[in-house]
Short mmCIF file of all heavy atoms in Angstrom, two decimals:
data_model
loop_
_atom_site.label_atom_id
_atom_site.label_comp_id
_atom_site.label_asym_id
_atom_site.label_seq_id
_atom_site.Cartn_x
_atom_site.Cartn_y
_atom_site.Cartn_z
N PRO A 163 -0.46 -21.18 -28.45
CA PRO A 163 -1.56 -20.29 -29.04
C PRO A 163 -2.92 -20.47 -28.32
O PRO A 163 -3.57 -19.42 -28.00
CB PRO A 163 -1.64 -20.81 -30.45
CG PRO A 163 -0.37 -21.44 -30.76
CD PRO A 163 0.14 -21.96 -29.44
N TRP A 164 -3.27 -21.67 -28.05
CA TRP A 164 -4.65 -21.85 -27.40
C TRP A 164 -4.70 -21.12 -25.99
O TRP A 164 -5.72 -20.63 -25.60
CB TRP A 164 -5.07 -23.29 -27.27
CG TRP A 164 -4.31 -24.05 -26.19
CD1 TRP A 164 -3.30 -24.85 -26.33
CD2 TRP A 164 -4.75 -24.14 -24.83
NE1 TRP A 164 -2.89 -25.38 -25.12
CE2 TRP A 164 -3.83 -24.95 -24.13
CE3 TRP A 164 -5.80 -23.59 -24.07
CZ2 TRP A 164 -3.88 -25.23 -22.88
CZ3 TRP A 164 -5.96 -23.91 -22.77
CH2 TRP A 164 -4.95 -24.69 -22.08
N ALA A 165 -3.56 -21.16 -25.29
CA ALA A 165 -3.53 -20.54 -24.02
C ALA A 165 -3.73 -19.02 -24.02
O ALA A 165 -4.40 -18.39 -23.24
CB ALA A 165 -2.27 -20.97 -23.21
N VAL A 166 -3.10 -18.42 -25.15
CA VAL A 166 -3.21 -16.98 -25.33
C VAL A 166 -4.67 -16.62 -25.66
O VAL A 166 -5.26 -15.76 -25.12
CB VAL A 166 -2.32 -16.51 -26.44
CG1 VAL A 166 -2.53 -15.06 -26.74
CG2 VAL A 166 -0.83 -16.83 -26.17
N VAL A 167 -5.29 -17.52 -26.45
CA VAL A 167 -6.75 -17.26 -26.84
C VAL A 167 -7.62 -17.39 -25.55
O VAL A 167 -8.49 -16.63 -25.27
CB VAL A 167 -7.19 -18.23 -27.96
CG1 VAL A 167 -8.70 -18.08 -28.14
CG2 VAL A 167 -6.37 -17.85 -29.28
N ALA A 168 -7.29 -18.46 -24.81
CA ALA A 168 -8.21 -18.74 -23.62
C ALA A 168 -7.98 -17.70 -22.49
O ALA A 168 -8.88 -17.47 -21.68
CB ALA A 168 -7.83 -20.11 -23.04
N PHE A 169 -6.88 -16.97 -22.62
CA PHE A 169 -6.51 -15.95 -21.60
C PHE A 169 -7.59 -14.94 -21.61
O PHE A 169 -7.93 -14.39 -20.54
CB PHE A 169 -5.11 -15.41 -21.90
CG PHE A 169 -4.76 -14.20 -21.01
CD1 PHE A 169 -4.43 -14.45 -19.70
CD2 PHE A 169 -4.73 -12.93 -21.56
CE1 PHE A 169 -4.16 -13.33 -18.87
CE2 PHE A 169 -4.37 -11.88 -20.80
CZ PHE A 169 -4.07 -12.05 -19.41
N VAL A 170 -8.05 -14.59 -22.82
CA VAL A 170 -9.02 -13.48 -22.86
C VAL A 170 -10.36 -13.73 -22.05
O VAL A 170 -10.67 -12.93 -21.17
CB VAL A 170 -9.34 -13.10 -24.32
CG1 VAL A 170 -10.30 -12.01 -24.42
CG2 VAL A 170 -8.00 -12.70 -25.03
N PRO A 171 -11.02 -14.87 -22.36
CA PRO A 171 -12.26 -15.10 -21.50
C PRO A 171 -11.89 -15.30 -20.01
O PRO A 171 -12.68 -14.84 -19.23
CB PRO A 171 -12.87 -16.31 -22.11
CG PRO A 171 -11.74 -16.97 -22.90
CD PRO A 171 -10.89 -15.85 -23.42
N ALA A 172 -10.77 -15.92 -19.75
CA ALA A 172 -10.34 -16.06 -18.36
C ALA A 172 -10.20 -14.77 -17.61
O ALA A 172 -10.61 -14.63 -16.52
CB ALA A 172 -8.97 -16.87 -18.21
N LEU A 173 -9.61 -13.75 -18.40
CA LEU A 173 -9.42 -12.42 -17.79
C LEU A 173 -10.78 -11.69 -17.60
O LEU A 173 -11.00 -11.15 -16.51
CB LEU A 173 -8.51 -11.65 -18.78
CG LEU A 173 -8.12 -10.29 -18.27
CD1 LEU A 173 -7.13 -10.47 -17.04
CD2 LEU A 173 -7.38 -9.51 -19.35
N VAL A 174 -11.62 -11.88 -18.52
CA VAL A 174 -12.95 -11.22 -18.47
C VAL A 174 -13.74 -11.84 -17.31
O VAL A 174 -14.28 -11.06 -16.43
CB VAL A 174 -13.76 -11.34 -19.78
CG1 VAL A 174 -15.14 -10.82 -19.57
CG2 VAL A 174 -13.15 -10.62 -20.89
N LEU A 175 -13.70 -13.22 -17.17
CA LEU A 175 -14.34 -13.84 -16.08
C LEU A 175 -13.76 -13.50 -14.71
O LEU A 175 -14.42 -13.26 -13.70
CB LEU A 175 -14.33 -15.37 -16.27
CG LEU A 175 -15.39 -15.90 -17.23
CD1 LEU A 175 -15.12 -17.31 -17.58
CD2 LEU A 175 -16.77 -15.71 -16.69
N ALA A 176 -12.37 -13.36 -14.71
CA ALA A 176 -11.74 -12.95 -13.38
C ALA A 176 -12.21 -11.59 -13.02
O ALA A 176 -12.50 -11.39 -11.84
CB ALA A 176 -10.17 -12.98 -13.64
N PHE A 177 -12.31 -10.69 -14.01
CA PHE A 177 -12.83 -9.36 -13.63
C PHE A 177 -14.24 -9.38 -13.09
O PHE A 177 -14.57 -8.82 -12.07
CB PHE A 177 -12.74 -8.48 -14.90
CG PHE A 177 -13.40 -7.13 -14.67
CD1 PHE A 177 -12.65 -6.14 -13.98
CD2 PHE A 177 -14.73 -6.89 -15.00
CE1 PHE A 177 -13.26 -4.86 -13.79
CE2 PHE A 177 -15.32 -5.63 -14.70
CZ PHE A 177 -14.55 -4.61 -14.11
N ALA A 178 -15.06 -10.31 -13.74
CA ALA A 178 -16.48 -10.39 -13.37
C ALA A 178 -16.56 -10.94 -11.90
O ALA A 178 -17.28 -10.42 -11.06
CB ALA A 178 -17.18 -11.29 -14.27
N VAL A 179 -15.74 -11.95 -11.57
CA VAL A 179 -15.76 -12.65 -10.20
C VAL A 179 -15.36 -11.52 -9.27
O VAL A 179 -15.99 -11.27 -8.24
CB VAL A 179 -14.85 -13.80 -10.17
CG1 VAL A 179 -14.76 -14.34 -8.74
CG2 VAL A 179 -15.41 -14.89 -11.06
N ARG A 180 -14.21 -10.90 -9.60
CA ARG A 180 -13.66 -9.96 -8.61
C ARG A 180 -14.65 -8.73 -8.45
O ARG A 180 -14.75 -8.24 -7.27
CB ARG A 180 -12.33 -9.43 -9.09
CG ARG A 180 -11.42 -8.78 -7.98
CD ARG A 180 -10.03 -8.59 -8.45
NE ARG A 180 -9.35 -7.78 -7.49
CZ ARG A 180 -8.11 -7.31 -7.61
NH1 ARG A 180 -7.46 -7.69 -8.62
NH2 ARG A 180 -7.55 -6.55 -6.71
N TRP A 181 -15.30 -8.34 -9.54
CA TRP A 181 -16.14 -7.17 -9.45
C TRP A 181 -17.34 -7.44 -8.51
O TRP A 181 -17.70 -6.65 -7.70
CB TRP A 181 -16.61 -6.83 -10.86
CG TRP A 181 -17.57 -5.69 -10.87
CD1 TRP A 181 -18.91 -5.79 -11.01
CD2 TRP A 181 -17.36 -4.35 -10.67
NE1 TRP A 181 -19.50 -4.56 -10.96
CE2 TRP A 181 -18.46 -3.59 -10.70
CE3 TRP A 181 -16.10 -3.61 -10.40
CZ2 TRP A 181 -18.55 -2.29 -10.56
CZ3 TRP A 181 -16.16 -2.23 -10.29
CH2 TRP A 181 -17.49 -1.52 -10.28
N VAL A 182 -17.94 -8.67 -8.71
CA VAL A 182 -19.20 -8.82 -7.85
C VAL A 182 -18.70 -9.03 -6.38
O VAL A 182 -19.51 -8.45 -5.51
CB VAL A 182 -20.04 -10.09 -8.29
CG1 VAL A 182 -20.75 -9.77 -9.57
CG2 VAL A 182 -19.18 -11.35 -8.44
N PHE A 183 -17.61 -9.58 -6.10
CA PHE A 183 -17.29 -9.81 -4.77
C PHE A 183 -16.77 -8.47 -4.06
O PHE A 183 -17.20 -8.13 -2.94
CB PHE A 183 -16.08 -10.82 -4.58
CG PHE A 183 -16.61 -12.17 -4.45
CD1 PHE A 183 -16.70 -13.01 -5.60
CD2 PHE A 183 -17.06 -12.71 -3.25
CE1 PHE A 183 -17.20 -14.28 -5.52
CE2 PHE A 183 -17.58 -13.99 -3.21
CZ PHE A 183 -17.67 -14.81 -4.27
N GLU A 184 -16.09 -7.64 -4.80
CA GLU A 184 -15.61 -6.35 -4.31
C GLU A 184 -16.74 -5.37 -4.16
O GLU A 184 -16.82 -4.61 -3.24
CB GLU A 184 -14.47 -5.83 -5.15
CG GLU A 184 -13.24 -6.70 -4.99
CD GLU A 184 -11.95 -6.20 -5.63
OE1 GLU A 184 -12.02 -5.14 -6.36
OE2 GLU A 184 -10.92 -6.73 -5.32
N TRP A 185 -17.68 -5.48 -5.04
CA TRP A 185 -18.81 -4.61 -4.89
C TRP A 185 -19.72 -5.01 -3.68
O TRP A 185 -20.17 -4.19 -2.91
CB TRP A 185 -19.71 -4.58 -6.22
CG TRP A 185 -20.48 -3.28 -6.36
CD1 TRP A 185 -19.96 -2.13 -6.87
CD2 TRP A 185 -21.89 -3.04 -6.06
NE1 TRP A 185 -20.90 -1.08 -6.84
CE2 TRP A 185 -22.11 -1.70 -6.31
CE3 TRP A 185 -22.91 -3.82 -5.52
CZ2 TRP A 185 -23.34 -1.08 -6.19
CZ3 TRP A 185 -24.16 -3.19 -5.35
CH2 TRP A 185 -24.37 -1.87 -5.66
N THR A 186 -19.84 -6.32 -3.45
CA THR A 186 -20.48 -6.75 -2.27
C THR A 186 -19.78 -6.24 -1.03
O THR A 186 -20.32 -5.83 -0.04
CB THR A 186 -20.57 -8.34 -2.25
OG1 THR A 186 -21.15 -8.71 -3.55
CG2 THR A 186 -21.47 -8.80 -1.13
N LEU A 187 -18.48 -6.41 -1.11
CA LEU A 187 -17.61 -6.01 0.08
C LEU A 187 -17.84 -4.50 0.37
O LEU A 187 -17.99 -4.09 1.51
CB LEU A 187 -16.13 -6.20 -0.30
CG LEU A 187 -15.08 -5.69 0.73
CD1 LEU A 187 -15.14 -6.62 1.94
CD2 LEU A 187 -13.70 -5.66 0.07
N ALA A 188 -18.07 -3.65 -0.74
CA ALA A 188 -18.18 -2.27 -0.58
C ALA A 188 -19.44 -1.99 0.22
O ALA A 188 -19.67 -0.99 0.96
CB ALA A 188 -18.22 -1.55 -1.92
N MET A 189 -20.47 -2.95 0.06
CA MET A 189 -21.70 -2.75 0.70
C MET A 189 -21.70 -2.85 2.20
O MET A 189 -22.63 -2.58 2.92
CB MET A 189 -22.76 -3.75 0.13
CG MET A 189 -23.18 -3.49 -1.32
SD MET A 189 -23.69 -1.78 -1.57
CE MET A 189 -22.36 -1.21 -2.64
N SER A 190 -20.58 -3.41 2.70
CA SER A 190 -20.45 -3.60 4.15
C SER A 190 -20.50 -2.15 4.77
O SER A 190 -20.77 -2.11 6.04
CB SER A 190 -19.20 -4.29 4.51
OG SER A 190 -18.03 -3.64 4.00
N ALA A 191 -20.31 -1.09 4.00
CA ALA A 191 -20.40 0.22 4.59
C ALA A 191 -21.81 0.52 5.13
O ALA A 191 -22.00 1.47 5.87
CB ALA A 191 -20.00 1.22 3.51
N PHE A 192 -22.80 -0.22 4.73
CA PHE A 192 -24.16 -0.01 5.24
C PHE A 192 -24.19 -0.32 6.69
O PHE A 192 -25.05 0.17 7.46
CB PHE A 192 -25.19 -0.89 4.45
CG PHE A 192 -25.58 -0.34 3.19
CD1 PHE A 192 -25.34 -1.03 2.02
CD2 PHE A 192 -26.21 0.87 3.15
CE1 PHE A 192 -25.73 -0.52 0.80
CE2 PHE A 192 -26.63 1.36 1.86
CZ PHE A 192 -26.38 0.66 0.66
N TRP A 193 -23.33 -1.25 7.17
CA TRP A 193 -23.39 -1.70 8.51
C TRP A 193 -22.25 -1.25 9.44
O TRP A 193 -22.42 -1.19 10.62
CB TRP A 193 -23.30 -3.29 8.54
CG TRP A 193 -24.64 -3.88 8.07
CD1 TRP A 193 -25.72 -4.21 8.76
CD2 TRP A 193 -24.98 -4.29 6.70
NE1 TRP A 193 -26.76 -4.72 7.97
CE2 TRP A 193 -26.29 -4.76 6.67
CE3 TRP A 193 -24.22 -4.19 5.45
CZ2 TRP A 193 -26.88 -5.15 5.52
CZ3 TRP A 193 -24.96 -4.60 4.36
CH2 TRP A 193 -26.24 -5.16 4.32
N THR A 194 -21.16 -0.90 8.83
CA THR A 194 -20.02 -0.48 9.64
C THR A 194 -19.37 0.78 9.10
O THR A 194 -19.34 1.01 7.91
CB THR A 194 -19.04 -1.59 9.85
OG1 THR A 194 -17.91 -1.05 10.62
CG2 THR A 194 -18.57 -2.09 8.54
N THR A 195 -18.68 1.54 9.98
CA THR A 195 -17.91 2.62 9.49
C THR A 195 -16.36 2.26 9.56
O THR A 195 -15.50 3.01 9.22
CB THR A 195 -18.03 3.91 10.44
OG1 THR A 195 -17.90 3.52 11.68
CG2 THR A 195 -19.39 4.48 10.15
N ARG A 196 -16.11 1.09 10.03
CA ARG A 196 -14.71 0.56 10.15
C ARG A 196 -14.26 -0.08 8.83
O ARG A 196 -13.77 -1.20 8.79
CB ARG A 196 -14.55 -0.42 11.28
CG ARG A 196 -15.10 0.06 12.54
CD ARG A 196 -14.07 0.73 13.29
NE ARG A 196 -14.69 1.24 14.53
CZ ARG A 196 -14.35 2.40 15.09
NH1 ARG A 196 -13.40 3.13 14.55
NH2 ARG A 196 -14.90 2.80 16.22
N ILE A 197 -14.53 0.61 7.76
CA ILE A 197 -14.26 0.06 6.45
C ILE A 197 -12.85 -0.35 6.27
O ILE A 197 -12.57 -1.38 5.65
CB ILE A 197 -14.71 1.04 5.42
CG1 ILE A 197 -16.26 0.97 5.31
CG2 ILE A 197 -14.15 0.74 4.07
CD1 ILE A 197 -16.77 -0.36 4.97
N SER A 198 -11.99 0.43 6.70
CA SER A 198 -10.50 0.09 6.46
C SER A 198 -10.15 -1.24 7.04
O SER A 198 -9.35 -2.03 6.49
CB SER A 198 -9.62 1.15 6.94
OG SER A 198 -9.62 1.28 8.28
N ALA A 199 -10.71 -1.61 8.26
CA ALA A 199 -10.33 -2.90 8.87
C ALA A 199 -10.96 -4.01 8.01
O ALA A 199 -10.29 -5.01 7.81
CB ALA A 199 -10.79 -2.94 10.23
N VAL A 200 -12.17 -3.86 7.59
CA VAL A 200 -12.82 -4.89 6.76
C VAL A 200 -12.06 -5.08 5.51
O VAL A 200 -11.76 -6.20 5.04
CB VAL A 200 -14.24 -4.42 6.46
CG1 VAL A 200 -14.93 -5.48 5.51
CG2 VAL A 200 -15.05 -4.23 7.66
N ASN A 201 -11.67 -4.02 4.80
CA ASN A 201 -10.93 -4.03 3.60
C ASN A 201 -9.62 -4.77 3.80
O ASN A 201 -9.17 -5.55 2.91
CB ASN A 201 -10.76 -2.65 2.99
CG ASN A 201 -11.99 -2.14 2.43
OD1 ASN A 201 -13.01 -2.83 2.17
ND2 ASN A 201 -12.03 -0.84 2.21
N GLN A 202 -9.03 -4.47 4.89
CA GLN A 202 -7.65 -5.05 5.14
C GLN A 202 -7.70 -6.55 5.27
O GLN A 202 -6.84 -7.25 4.75
CB GLN A 202 -7.07 -4.39 6.46
CG GLN A 202 -5.57 -4.45 6.40
CD GLN A 202 -4.95 -4.07 7.72
OE1 GLN A 202 -5.67 -3.61 8.66
NE2 GLN A 202 -3.69 -4.19 7.82
N VAL A 203 -8.78 -7.08 5.82
CA VAL A 203 -8.96 -8.51 5.88
C VAL A 203 -9.07 -9.15 4.44
O VAL A 203 -8.43 -10.08 4.14
CB VAL A 203 -10.24 -8.88 6.71
CG1 VAL A 203 -10.46 -10.36 6.67
CG2 VAL A 203 -10.02 -8.45 8.15
N TYR A 204 -9.90 -8.39 3.67
CA TYR A 204 -10.11 -8.87 2.33
C TYR A 204 -8.74 -8.84 1.53
O TYR A 204 -8.42 -9.86 0.91
CB TYR A 204 -11.13 -7.95 1.62
CG TYR A 204 -11.16 -8.21 0.15
CD1 TYR A 204 -11.89 -9.35 -0.39
CD2 TYR A 204 -10.58 -7.37 -0.77
CE1 TYR A 204 -11.93 -9.62 -1.71
CE2 TYR A 204 -10.64 -7.61 -2.15
CZ TYR A 204 -11.37 -8.74 -2.56
OH TYR A 204 -11.45 -8.98 -3.91
N PHE A 205 -8.01 -7.74 1.64
CA PHE A 205 -6.69 -7.69 0.91
C PHE A 205 -5.64 -8.66 1.46
O PHE A 205 -4.84 -9.12 0.66
CB PHE A 205 -6.32 -6.25 0.92
CG PHE A 205 -7.00 -5.36 -0.08
CD1 PHE A 205 -7.88 -4.45 0.40
CD2 PHE A 205 -6.89 -5.62 -1.45
CE1 PHE A 205 -8.59 -3.70 -0.55
CE2 PHE A 205 -7.60 -4.86 -2.40
CZ PHE A 205 -8.43 -3.93 -1.90
N ALA A 206 -5.75 -8.99 2.75
CA ALA A 206 -4.83 -9.94 3.23
C ALA A 206 -5.05 -11.35 2.62
O ALA A 206 -4.19 -12.05 2.18
CB ALA A 206 -4.89 -10.03 4.84
N ALA A 207 -6.37 -11.69 2.57
CA ALA A 207 -6.74 -12.98 1.99
C ALA A 207 -6.36 -12.93 0.45
O ALA A 207 -5.80 -13.95 -0.04
CB ALA A 207 -8.23 -13.15 2.11
#
Side-chain angles (χ1 to χ4, degrees):
Chain A
W164 75 264
V166 176
V167 174
F169 174 70
V170 179
L173 187 66
V174 173
L175 280 169
F177 175 81
V179 173
R180 200 168 167 184
W181 178 257
V182 288
F183 274 96
E184 292 189 348
W185 208 78
T186 310
L187 177 73
M189 293 306 114
S190 57
F192 281 118
W193 288 271
T194 174
T195 51
R196 310 269 177 217
I197 281 303
S198 66
V200 177
N201 288 344
Q202 206 187 352
V203 174
Y204 171 76
F205 283 108

